[in-house]
Amino acid sequence: MPMRFLIIRLSSIGDIVHALPAATALARTFPDAEVDWVVEARHAALLEGNPWVKRVVKLDTLGWRNNLSSATVIEEVARGMALLRQENYDATLDFQGLIKSAIISRFSRSPRRLGFAEHWLREPAAGIFYDERVSPRHRRHIIEINFSLVEHLGARNPGPEKWEFPLPRTQPDDAYIEEQLACFGAKEFMVMNPGGGWQAKRWAPRQYAELIRSLEPEFGGKIFITGSPEEEGLIHEILSLANSRRAHYFPSTLVQLIALVRHAQLFLSGDTGPLHLAAAVRTPIVAIFGTTDPLNTPGRNGPFIPADITLSNGGPLSSWRETKAPHYIEGVTTENVLTAVRERMARAHV
């Protein structure tokens, strides 16, 4: 019987991306093993076509949270947990570190349930559900931290240059992006993604507009602005303020965004899922981080390629709640970002 592993990383886009190299290393170490992955249904597209994952178990824990009294939700919860209990996993690895993900690991009935030690858990109480708690000491970036779980089972970290990110890619999506680029006449372009989970993670629209105007005399390519449908208002505000013929809104699906970013000369963004997708495909990056909590610092979650540039306005705020205050990132000027863009573009051609 081949060994069977269950990975739990429910969300979000960036966190799932950061778990891919460790999951791939585990599968490569045990080539005959079967690896399943539990993920939020809304993020399952990130695992489509992954050659190292046999089965993707889709749950909707975010939807359940708001409707726990619903008979339909109770039935969905029971069905999802029953699916996990039917399997005979040799080990379950919880990369999420939340109480709900730890409970899911318990339902797997695996004889080995691995998770991080208390200091590295978002919710320390999750640790009571693990049989083996791993301390990723002396590791800074979250990808390195994730590797500590699979190394505990015998996998090896090949180093950042060889980290593998098996992201979804399809011929129709590649063809669509090539067609759209041809329509725009975009032989060279950069991508800006101004959104973020909340406003304190976003650079101000007026500063994006100032940057676009400042780039016009020296960057001859197009500037594509991307974002979710919910961020269209923000994008159109930036385009209106910039009033530039070279800047355009580029709507896309997640897989199309990945295809677009693969071709970009530069990706500019705050701390968002698309930023981590750009890092995974090795597109040159300038990242803008605001004040944030200790578990979400640039050194822990930011780009991992040494040539990439991350700008930050300082250390953590006094509490997690304060990071959701209704203000944009302060202290990172348009001139700061323009200088970083020039430098990163120059490095890309060395």
Side-chain angles (χ1 to χ4, degrees):
M1 290 284 293
M3 295 186 70
R4 303 197 66 202
F5 300 109
L6 179 67
I7 289 173
I8 303 172
R9 181 75 247 193
L10 300 167
S11 62
S12 55
I13 291 175
D15 293 320
I16 293 168
V17 170
H18 288 151
L20 287 172
T24 302
L26 179 67
R28 283 195 177 278
T29 301
F30 302 95
D32 296 326
E34 296 177 358
V35 178
D36 293 349
W37 191 310
V38 182
V39 68
E40 289 284 349
R42 67 192 64 188
H43 299 308
L46 278 171
L47 300 174
E48 288 181 2
N50 190 315
W52 306 107
V53 177
K54 180 180 180 182
R55 185 177 68 146
V56 176
V57 180
K58 304 174 187 178
L59 301 181
D60 184 19
T61 69
L62 297 176
W64 295 348
R65 182 175 57 192
N66 298 324
N67 298 282
L68 284 177
S69 60
S70 164
T72 301
V73 168
I74 293 172
E75 183 179 342
E76 288 179 2
V77 173
R79 187 185 305 116
M81 296 304 103
L83 280 174
L84 296 178
R85 293 180 68 85
Q86 290 172 5
E87 307 297 337
N88 295 311
Y89 294 109
D90 294 281
T92 296
L93 300 87
D94 180 11
F95 289 95
Q96 192 90 21
L98 299 177
I99 293 173
K100 67 178 179 182
S101 59
I103 291 174
I104 292 171
S105 76
R106 179 68 182 84
F107 269 93
S108 73
R109 297 198 298 183
S110 169
R112 301 182 69 180
R113 297 188 299 277
L114 282 68
F116 297 114
E118 180 177 289
H119 179 71
W120 287 272
L121 294 173
R122 176 73 75 177
E123 295 178 350
I128 64 175
F129 294 95
Y130 306 140
D131 299 303
E132 301 171 45
R133 301 171 185 84
V134 179
S135 298
R137 300 183 186 281
H138 312 300
R139 306 188 189 216
R140 191 180 182 194
H141 200 278
I142 184 59
I143 296 176
E144 299 277 2
I145 292 171
N146 286 337
F147 260 102
S148 66
L149 287 187
V150 297
E151 287 173 0
H152 192 74
L153 293 176
R156 185 180 67 86
N157 181 351
E161 299 81 8
K162 295 185 178 181
W163 285 344
E164 296 181 75
F165 298 88
L167 293 170
R169 186 171 192 173
T170 71
Q171 191 280 328
D173 287 313
D174 282 348
Y176 172 79
I177 292 302
E178 290 175 7
E179 177 184 310
Q180 292 301 305
L181 292 178
C183 289
F184 279 110
K187 294 182 179 179
E188 290 192 346
F189 65 92
M190 65 175 67
V191 174
M192 297 182 183
N193 191 284
W198 47 88
Q199 194 161 309
K201 295 178 71 173
R202 301 176 180 177
W203 204 41
R206 64 172 179 79
Q207 291 185 287
Y208 274 106
E210 289 171 0
L211 178 64
I212 290 169
R213 290 195 298 271
S214 298
L215 284 169
E216 281 193 327
E218 54 192 270
F219 179 69
K222 300 291 185 181
I223 298 173
F224 293 131
I225 306 182
T226 60
S228 68
E230 294 75 22
E231 294 163 346
E232 282 190 23
L234 171 65
I235 293 168
H236 288 303
E237 178 183 358
I238 293 170
L239 290 173
S240 176
L241 291 170
N243 191 27
S244 170
R245 293 182 179 179
R246 294 187 189 166
H248 306 274
Y249 174 34
F250 199 115
S252 66
T253 65
L254 180 66
V255 179
Q256 289 167 355
L257 174 65
I258 297 170
L260 175 70
V261 172
R262 290 183 195 274
H263 295 283
Q265 274 64 53
L266 183 84
F267 186 89
L268 172 69
S269 175
D271 179 17
T272 66
L275 172 76
H276 307 303
L277 291 171
V281 299
R282 267 69 173 191
T283 297
I285 288 172
V286 171
I288 307 171
F289 275 67
T291 49
T292 185
D293 73 312
L295 291 180
N296 206 32
T297 62
R300 183 183 187 274
N301 281 36
F304 53 84
I305 300 297
D308 288 334
I309 298 175
T310 300
L311 302 171
S312 176
N313 68 350
L317 294 178
S318 59
S319 77
W320 170 243
R321 289 180 180 272
E322 291 180 36
T323 67
K324 298 191 178 183
H327 56 74
Y328 293 108
I329 293 173
E330 299 172 348
V332 178
T333 68
T334 304
E335 187 59 36
N336 293 154
V337 179
L338 179 61
T339 299
V341 169
R342 289 170 177 157
E343 175 62 25
R344 186 63 185 94
M345 294 284 281
R347 292 178 187 178
H349 292 91
V350 173

